[in-house]
Amino acid sequence: MTDHATASTFLKAEQIRAQAEHLYLLPFPSSCPRKFASLLSQACEKLKSVVIGLSKRPGTADVDRQISFISLFLVDRLAPTLRFIEGASSENTPASLVGPLEKIGKMLLPGAEFLVRRQWRYNYRVQELRQGLGEELKGLLSRHDFKDLFPDEPQKLYSISFPSFERDSALLHVNFAHEIGHPMEERYLAADPRNQEPLAELRTEIEKEDTGADVVKRAKDIGAATSYWRAAVEELISDTISTWVFGPSALFALSEVVTLSHSADEISKDLHPPWRFRLRNMLSVLEEQGFVDPASHELQGWRDNAHSSLSGVKSSVDNWLKHMSRVVEQNTDWDAIRREGIAAKCAYESVSRVTGSVRTFAAQTVADTAYTRDLFSEEVPWLLERLFCDLPPNQIERSLWDVRQVKLASILSSGWLYKLAKLHPEFDADAERYVERAFVLNRLILKALELSVVAGEFMERDGESARGAAKQE
Amino acid sequence: MGLLSKSEIEEWLNKDLNERLVITPILDPREQISEGAVDLRLSTTFILTQKTEFARMDPTQGKEQLKAEIQKYQFRVSKRFHEEFVLHPHQLVLGATLEYLSFPDGLGGYVLSRSSWGRLGLVIATAAFVNPGFKGCLTLELLNHGEVPLVLCPGMRIAQLALHRVTGKPGAHPTRYRCPTEPQFSLIYNDKDLEHWGRRELAT
């Protein structure tokens, strides 16, 4: 019995190793997937050695248990991670977007690495891959083997997943910034002892509200309220960070996917807040940042008349923003939260009171990468004008000798404004043409992202001096 | 029909956006723009042929079947910048320009091999003419005519675009390849007279 299980476990480790090595050979848009494939392959080699060692020991219950443990680890933990590598290949990802997103991720979460991959479920999701595996491998490998596998302590590697068939929908991938924001909740709680105080206060508030409840019910409510609170704060932090990084595009992108997961007035099964609650927060952040005028619910600081071909863009976007303002003005989400019970009510009331500190934390976190209204107003009209001419919005080219690189957020903003103002009306005229134009827009945005990165790197080296020298001649 | 000089090319590149010749990005204008031509760089995506699947490629077999065959016959490969793509002797692959181009109505162009690459065996094979009104990245048919494999990297200047004026009233712009940003598969199946000229039972 032991022999069979041992041999079978050894074989499983070898099969997973072979698959990891096979996946290693795929083309990838960054080095992360290969590094992870290599880690899996080496981990399997080490586990094979452990199995060989166990097979030489006399069969005991302890040996059986260890073999069974390794076998379960291989099939339940290691093997499923192969799909992350497969989904991260160049063919399966918006390759030109991966580099810039990794860069943003590294700025927000120093020391962490990112792997962008497709998934078949329709949502965006972040998962930590390496540190978790490292913790489990620590219990299975000798100290020497573990050190060999992780010369430094295992660093975090986050997989960010996107819905597979949206691969080329570059504008939707603004939602990546939201996902990068998720791991920030723990940092928020750790950043200042006062940030944890509301969690302690929840107990008192539940006790105040739950006067007739028995001890068990009260304990359950306190646990549930804590979960509601943490999930809601996590979403608020992520939404706010996304808004700071990408400006209005964050709201546009979230509004397009969030409506597909659950209703506006419902706390989802995985405790996502009602999306009306989240969009209200984002709109309010945009108002604080000066992108949206709180009184008129219109874009602020945008002048169509600076670029005559763009007339009508502002009114289309303003209409969209006004619609969104009407959506979030309704408080039906609060009615639903109260109906959910005491735990949800107390948690969300507490969350509302910490919104200010959440926003301050998010603003401090993204200070170096923040996208401002000034940049938006300065860069986006030029880029939008290029889109109107079927050109990629990769840079501002006033003339051959006057070329300026732009922020990634500006490229995506121009795409969103084009989509709202120009693309959506196409649907009413001709649905087929709308689809064709949508595909062209995706291509132009992805190309712009690629060119922007390439040009930025080239200019940093020697192109800028060449351009300058030529201008002088 | 004379080719544009360097100063004329720069003039077209500096016009208002609506009537400008756009070649974006020109990373190094001093090196890339010369008398009569602009150097173009290699992009990251390639289309290769899958020889083992086919005895031959017959363009007369009917539109839908031909379309499917072409997609099976060719497949895409992506490279990152600073990665190598090895082009073997007598191998034909489709690449694309890194630069996105937009031609105004008054200009046409020819894509040519750069002589320094040509002397190593690299030829930009065919389909040299670029229509007025074209927008997109150009598909390049890359052929290694030399004796040894050639290492290509995305970003290298491998082609040149010669430009000339086009006179007369502009017609409707061809829309067969709409704003492409990668190399395009052949659309030969859209040729309306293809089947007419195909193989038939002939009366003796």
Side-chain angles (χ1 to χ4, degrees), chain A residues 8-22:
Chain A
S8 165
T9 303
F10 186 86
L11 183 60
K12 284 181 176 60
E14 172 54 21
Q15 285 168 318
I16 296 169
R17 187 202 63 75
Q19 291 244 335
E21 298 240 322
H22 172 71

Side-chain angles (χ1 to χ4, degrees), chain B residues 42-77:
Chain B
L42 183 63
S43 188
T44 51
T45 311
F46 301 88
I47 293 178
L48 279 72
T49 51
Q50 206 142 240
K51 293 178 191 172
T52 51
E53 296 281 320
F54 295 90
R56 61 179 189 158
M57 173 58 64
D58 176 4
T60 66
Q61 57 191 304
K63 184 172 176 174
E64 288 311 312
Q65 203 179 339
L66 179 58
K67 194 173 169 183
E69 289 275 285
I70 287 174
Q71 300 277 340
K72 270 200 290 179
Y73 171 64
Q74 297 176 312
F75 62 99
R76 282 182 198 276
V77 168

Side-chain angles (χ1 to χ4, degrees), chain A residues 48-320:
Chain A
K48 278 164 63 185
S49 303
V50 174
V51 173
I52 292 283
L54 288 169
S55 73
K56 288 179 181 157
R57 283 168 52 182
T60 63
D62 182 50
V63 168
D64 287 353
R65 194 181 53 79
Q66 286 190 56
I67 289 290
S68 154
F69 205 67
I70 291 172
S71 198
L72 276 175
F73 176 75
L74 284 167
V75 298
D76 279 355
R77 291 288 286 119
L78 269 194
T81 57
L82 292 169
R83 74 187 192 280
F84 291 93
I85 303 164
E86 188 268 340
S89 71
S90 298
E91 193 187 355
N92 291 332
T93 51
S96 62
L97 194 50
V98 172
L101 287 170
E102 280 188 359
K103 208 168 157 186
I104 292 173
K106 283 175 184 166
M107 275 193 274
L108 295 178
L109 292 166
E113 290 186 289
F114 296 87
L115 178 151
V116 175
R117 67 116 190 183
R118 71 167 181 189
Q119 66 175 17
W120 295 104
R121 280 191 64 190
Y122 195 89
N123 68 357
Y124 285 81
R125 191 174 178 207
V126 64
Q127 288 160 278
E128 201 288 313
L129 298 179
R130 191 165 50 203
Q131 207 170 53
L133 276 183
E135 287 302 314
E136 291 178 62
L137 278 164
K138 205 179 250 181
L140 297 172
L141 301 176
S142 68
R143 188 177 295 179
H144 175 268
D145 275 357
F146 183 78
K147 202 73 188 154
D148 199 25
L149 203 55
F150 296 104
D152 307 311
E153 277 302 293
Q155 297 297 304
K156 287 189 169 168
L157 167 65
Y158 290 103
S159 145
I160 301 183
S161 311
F162 65 90
S164 181
F165 74 82
E166 300 280 19
R167 184 194 65 176
D168 294 337
S169 306
L171 300 179
L172 269 194
H173 299 331
V174 164
N175 287 311
F176 279 122
H178 169 90
E179 296 304 321
I180 294 171
H182 272 294
M184 299 282 185
E185 188 249 2
E186 282 182 13
R187 288 191 185 198
Y188 167 74
L189 290 177
D192 186 334
R194 283 172 298 180
N195 293 348
Q196 296 201 30
E197 285 171 10
L199 276 171
E201 287 161 12
L202 275 179
R203 169 182 287 274
T204 322
E205 284 171 37
I206 296 272
E207 282 169 353
K208 224 188 290 169
E209 298 264 350
D210 244 357
T211 46
D214 61 30
V215 179
V216 177
K217 159 96 169 55
R218 196 171 290 168
K220 270 188 183 170
D221 279 343
I222 291 168
T226 305
S227 301
Y228 282 130
W229 191 93
R230 290 196 66 164
V233 165
E234 190 173 328
E235 290 302 320
L236 282 190
I237 290 173
S238 300
D239 288 340
T240 309
I241 282 176
S242 175
T243 313
W244 272 99
V245 173
F246 284 121
S249 303
L251 177 65
F252 302 143
L254 185 73
S255 69
E256 194 160 319
V257 294
V258 82
T259 52
L260 301 170
S261 62
H262 59 292
S263 89
D265 300 326
E266 171 195 16
I267 299 174
S268 74
K269 286 195 186 81
D270 50 359
L271 302 188
H272 278 69
W275 57 254
R276 202 186 301 277
F277 183 88
R278 292 175 60 190
L279 296 183
R280 186 182 297 119
N281 171 64
M282 287 180 95
L283 195 58
S284 163
V285 174
L286 287 173
E287 287 170 0
E288 278 181 14
Q289 292 172 310
F291 285 103
V292 178
D293 177 3
S296 64
H297 308 303
E298 292 178 354
L299 271 183
Q300 201 157 254
W302 176 277
R303 289 175 301 118
D304 270 0
N305 56 6
H307 296 249
S308 56
S309 60
L310 305 185
S311 68
V313 170
K314 185 174 186 307
S315 65
S316 299
V317 179
D318 287 348
N319 284 340
W320 190 93

Side-chain angles (χ1 to χ4, degrees), chain B residues 155-168:
Chain B
M156 284 176 167
R157 287 183 284 135
I158 58 156
Q160 56 182 332
L161 178 70
L163 296 150
H164 60 84
R165 279 197 181 77
V166 175
T167 52

Side-chain angles (χ1 to χ4, degrees), chain A residues 28-30 386 389-392 394-395 397 399-401 436-437 443-444 447 450-451 454 466-467 469, chain B residues 14 17-18 20 24-30 33 44 78 80-82 98 100 102 135 137 178-179 181:
Chain A
F28 294 102
S30 82
R386 289 171 73 84
C389 295
D390 281 341
L391 297 172
N394 52 320
Q395 56 189 14
E397 295 173 346
S399 76
L400 178 60
W401 307 113
E436 188 196 321
R437 294 298 310 168
R443 286 204 289 274
L444 293 177
K447 185 68 188 173
E450 179 195 41
L451 294 179
V454 171
R467 192 177 289 276
Chain B
N14 280 322
L17 197 57
N18 284 335
R20 185 185 297 175
T24 186
I26 301 183
L27 294 176
D28 192 347
R30 192 177 54 174
I33 305 172
T44 51
S78 291
R80 289 160 66 187
F81 287 94
H82 315 296
L98 173 68
Y100 185 98
S102 171
K135 286 174 197 284
C137 298
R178 185 136 177 75
C179 303
T181 53

Side-chain angles (χ1 to χ4, degrees), chain A residues 345-398:
Chain A
K345 175 184 167 291
C346 290
Y348 273 79
E349 284 173 357
S350 170
V351 169
S352 293
R353 291 192 292 272
V354 301
T355 308
S357 69
V358 163
R359 287 186 190 169
T360 307
F361 168 79
Q364 286 166 350
T365 306
V366 300
D368 294 339
T369 49
Y371 187 49
T372 62
R373 190 194 75 179
D374 287 348
L375 266 178
F376 176 83
S377 309
E378 194 183 324
E379 295 183 343
V380 175
W382 291 96
L383 302 179
L384 198 48
E385 202 172 28
R386 289 171 73 84
L387 278 175
F388 272 65
C389 295
D390 281 341
L391 297 172
N394 52 320
Q395 56 189 14
I396 297 173
E397 295 173 346
R398 290 188 177 90

Side-chain angles (χ1 to χ4, degrees), chain B residues 15 29 33 58 63-65 72 103 119 123 135 139 141-142 152 154 167 173 177 185-186 190-192:
Chain B
K15 285 181 183 261
I33 305 172
D58 176 4
K63 184 172 176 174
E64 288 311 312
Q65 203 179 339
K72 270 200 290 179
F103 273 63
R119 287 167 203 174
V123 177
K135 286 174 197 284
T139 294
E141 290 99 9
L142 305 170
L152 304 175
T167 52
H173 295 146
Y177 303 95
F185 291 102
S186 167
N190 282 343
D191 280 10
K192 290 196 172 77

